[in-house]
Amino acid sequence: MRSRRAGLGGGAKARHTGRGRAPAAGSGLDTVDAHVGGRVRLRRALLGLSQTDLGERLGVT
């Protein structure tokens, strides 16, 4: 059975566009971060929450 992660980062350059440490080349972490971020953004929009509202609800203001 093939892994769902198969092919992630295979030869693609890792890009660092956020804060913190840059991912290792070929790690696929930037791809995962972008996917998770997009899902959080979508869910936040569906709930009608601003970034501030979400942060307050999570306790990370």
Side-chain angles (χ1 to χ4, degrees):
M1 182 169 171
R2 239 180 136 181
S3 169
R4 291 185 60 175
R5 293 195 52 165
L8 287 180
K13 286 186 178 180
R15 289 178 300 157
H16 179 59
T17 58
R19 297 181 192 155
R21 192 172 163 166
S27 68
L29 292 179
D30 57 333
T31 305
V32 173
D33 291 343
H35 178 75
V36 171
R39 293 297 303 245
V40 169
R41 187 178 310 110
L42 175 63
R43 183 68 176 156
R44 181 176 58 80
L46 289 172
L47 294 173
L49 296 174
S50 69
Q51 289 181 350
T52 302
D53 293 337
L54 178 61
E56 288 174 354
R57 288 185 180 202
L58 294 174
V60 292
T61 59

